[in-house]
């Protein structure tokens, strides 16, 4: 018994003086672990006679519980004080002013593409893509623009050096070749839009050698001009966020559509001020038409069974009109002051999509 009293007071003092969680754990192992001192004494019980074993067993059990409880209690207070020490040591002063950090913003071209895709996506178009470097056949011939066609001159094409005359490689002059790629790869019904970069050798306030277009293509068994008109009127009104925006279709010519049309929206130009909406003037914004049967045939689609409509619009032009940006070249000058002025917050849900 004396021996136990001495062990008790030794262990209790050690627990009381322990400096932290690690030290407490060491004490626990040395007393109560597999090779611990109390465990060792308990093992010795077996060799005692029943009377002595009962008495010693009770005393050892009491000591074991007492030490275990003391260790647990001390562990709790140690953990609390260790946390307190950390909290005071690592205090954060939330009243300090924030560091001057600049936030990036979305380029108006990306924003405009997102808006166009959001509106047409709601109309169940899916997005398709194609290569920037095209061959002559996809960019021109399959679209019913044969080699001697005047439309080829209008495109101010960048030809890649080294490619042969028959099937020259070009930087695509429009997104229309993706119509061909899609029709060659998939069977109707087709309902796609194609946002992407396009290239023409031209540079002034309304032209840049690299610019962006969005192409649209629908091919199905009963597609007609009414679908084309409904889709594009809806699109223009949603894009410019004006439910009653006047939209008109003016006859035009594109080799890959028949009939072809240009879409104008209403505007006013009074006293040097330009405004989209009601007025007595019109502004051309995109080209469209019913897919020329020759184009369907070039893609092995039977024009007796399928019809389609297509459209193409210039992203820079749409962005300039919607956001009042006067010079197209500024889109690509990488001037951060310009971008901060015309850019969009990355944390805004695609906005300005009216009517949806
Ligand atoms: N590819 C034409 C261009 O770049 C735009 C265009 C007009 C596309 C009419 C079309 C369309 O799909 O039907 O000028």
């Amino acid at each position: 018994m004396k021996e136990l009293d001495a062990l008790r007071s030794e262990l209790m003092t050690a627990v009381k003086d322990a400096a932290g969680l690690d030290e407490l754990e060491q004490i626990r192992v040395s007393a109560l672990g597999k090779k611990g001192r109390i465990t060792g004494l308990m093992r010795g019980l077996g060799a005692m006679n029943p009377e002595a074993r009962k008495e010693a067993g009770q005393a050892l059990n009491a000591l074991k519980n007492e030490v275990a409880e003391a260790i647990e209690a001390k562990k709790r207070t140690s953990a609390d004080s260790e946390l307190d020490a950390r909290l005071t040591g690592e205090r954060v002063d939330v009243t300090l002013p924030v560091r001057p950090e600049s936030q990036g913003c979305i380029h108006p071209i990306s924003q405009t593409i997102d808006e166009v895709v959001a509106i047409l996506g709601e109309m169940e178009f899916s997005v398709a893509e194609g290569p920037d470097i095209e061959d002559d056949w996809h960019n021109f011939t399959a679209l019913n623009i044969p080699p001697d066609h005047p439309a080829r001159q209008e495109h101010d094409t960048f030809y890649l050096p080294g490619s042969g005359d028959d099937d020259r490689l070009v930087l695509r002059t429009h997104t229309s070749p993706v119509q061909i790629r899609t029709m060659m790869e998939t069977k109707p019904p087709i309902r796609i839009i194609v946002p992407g970069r396009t290239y023409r050798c031209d540079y002034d306030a309304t032209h840049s050698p690299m610019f962006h277009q969005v192409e649209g293509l629908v091919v199905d068994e009963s597609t007609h001009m009414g679908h084309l008109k409904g889709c594009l009127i809806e699109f223009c009104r949603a894009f410019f966020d004006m439910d009653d925006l006047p939209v008109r279709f003016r006859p035009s010519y594109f080799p890959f559509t028949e009939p072809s049309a240009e879409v104008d929206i209403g505007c006013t130009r009074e006293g040097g001020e330009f405004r989209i909406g009601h007025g007595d003037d019109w502004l051309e914004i995109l080209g469209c038409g019913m897919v020329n049967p020759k184009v369907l045939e070039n893609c092995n689609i039977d024009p007796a069974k399928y019809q389609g409509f297509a459209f193409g619009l210039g992203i820079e032009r749409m962005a300039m009109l919607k956001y009042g940006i006067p010079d197209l070249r500024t889109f690509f000058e990488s001037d951060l002051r310009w971008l901060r002025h015309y850019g969009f917050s990355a944390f805004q849900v695609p906005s300005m999509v009216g009517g949806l």
Side-chain angles (χ1 to χ4, degrees):
M1 278 302 165
K2 266 220 181 116
E3 204 186 318
L4 283 195
D5 284 343
L7 182 57
R8 170 183 294 111
S9 71
E10 186 195 329
L11 288 172
M12 295 312 250
T13 315
V15 170
K16 191 165 96 323
D17 294 345
L21 292 175
D22 288 348
E23 210 175 315
L24 279 169
E25 182 58 14
Q26 277 171 22
I27 297 170
R28 190 190 66 77
V29 172
S30 73
L32 306 170
K34 261 194 200 147
K35 293 180 188 157
R37 288 158 77 189
I38 297 179
T39 321
L41 290 173
M42 284 177 132
R43 233 175 251 135
L45 291 174
M48 295 182 180
N49 66 47
E51 261 320 279
R53 186 192 305 155
K54 192 174 170 205
E55 200 183 327
Q58 279 172 354
L60 272 173
N61 254 332
L63 175 62
K64 182 183 141 195
N65 292 338
E66 200 179 328
V67 171
E69 266 164 36
I71 291 176
E72 275 313 305
K74 178 81 186 203
K75 268 189 181 172
R76 277 194 295 276
T77 51
S78 283
D80 285 351
S81 56
E82 276 181 24
L83 184 62
D84 283 346
R86 258 183 71 192
L87 286 175
T88 36
E90 295 176 7
R91 183 179 296 165
V92 175
D93 184 352
V94 292
T95 64
L96 281 175
V98 289
R99 291 199 187 92
E101 271 179 42
S102 58
Q103 190 192 308
C105 51
I106 307 282
H107 195 283
I109 294 290
S110 305
Q111 171 79 15
T112 306
I113 291 176
D114 287 351
E115 290 173 17
V116 170
V117 169
I119 296 167
L120 293 165
E122 281 283 315
M123 297 188 205
E124 298 191 353
F125 283 84
S126 45
V127 172
E129 287 183 315
D132 288 21
I133 296 176
E134 263 300 358
D135 53 58
D136 193 281
W137 188 80
H138 284 93
N139 195 79
F140 294 121
T141 313
L143 286 159
N144 195 36
I145 316 175
D148 51 353
H149 199 284
R152 289 214 181 196
Q153 272 87 59
E154 283 159 31
H155 277 212
D156 300 306
T157 314
F158 286 112
Y159 289 98
L160 267 74
S163 48
D165 268 359
D166 279 354
D167 209 5
R168 293 184 288 188
L169 293 179
V170 302
L171 289 180
R172 66 178 178 193
T173 57
H174 48 180
T175 40
S176 306
V178 187
Q179 287 189 26
I180 304 298
R181 289 188 176 273
T182 308
M183 287 190 278
M184 298 292 283
E185 279 160 22
T186 43
K187 287 204 169 69
I190 291 171
R191 200 172 174 87
I192 53 147
I193 44 173
V194 185
R197 275 188 281 270
T198 46
Y199 306 84
R200 289 182 204 180
C201 187
D202 214 347
Y203 186 63
D204 59 34
T206 52
H207 297 90
S208 147
M210 190 279 294
F211 58 106
H212 298 78
Q213 289 189 339
V214 175
E215 191 81 13
L217 174 71
V218 173
V219 183
D220 209 340
E221 286 186 36
S222 55
T223 308
H224 55 70
M225 193 91 185
H227 296 125
L228 160 73
K229 289 184 73 177
C231 169
L232 293 178
I233 292 172
E234 185 81 358
F235 166 75
C236 292
R237 291 185 174 161
F239 181 80
F240 290 106
D241 203 2
M242 230 179 265
D243 288 344
D244 55 353
L245 177 70
V247 179
R248 77 173 182 188
F249 290 75
R250 187 167 35 79
S252 183
Y253 173 77
F254 299 103
F256 31 89
T257 45
E258 183 55 39
S260 303
E262 254 149 336
V263 176
D264 297 339
I265 55 172
C267 67
T268 47
R269 293 175 228 252
E270 269 164 22
E273 199 201 359
F274 171 79
R275 251 184 317 127
I276 289 171
H278 290 275
D280 49 12
D281 219 340
W282 295 96
L283 180 78
E284 176 200 320
I285 59 158
L286 58 89
C288 61
M290 299 307 292
V291 180
N292 192 321
K294 287 187 194 154
V295 174
L296 294 174
E297 261 167 23
N298 290 340
C299 302
N300 307 317
I301 292 178
D302 180 4
K305 187 168 178 206
Y306 293 105
Q307 298 92 51
F309 71 82
F311 56 91
L313 55 90
I315 287 292
E316 284 77 2
R317 185 169 166 74
M318 298 294 269
M320 287 164 85
L321 290 169
K322 184 163 175 178
Y323 298 115
I325 302 172
D327 190 325
L328 189 145
R329 289 166 294 198
T330 56
F331 281 110
F332 309 113
E333 282 170 354
S334 304
D335 182 338
L336 281 180
R337 290 165 308 173
W338 181 91
L339 189 55
R340 273 181 211 120
H341 180 77
Y342 287 110
F344 293 83
S345 162
F347 299 110
Q348 228 172 304
V349 187
S351 59
M352 316 291 184
V353 180
L356 291 174

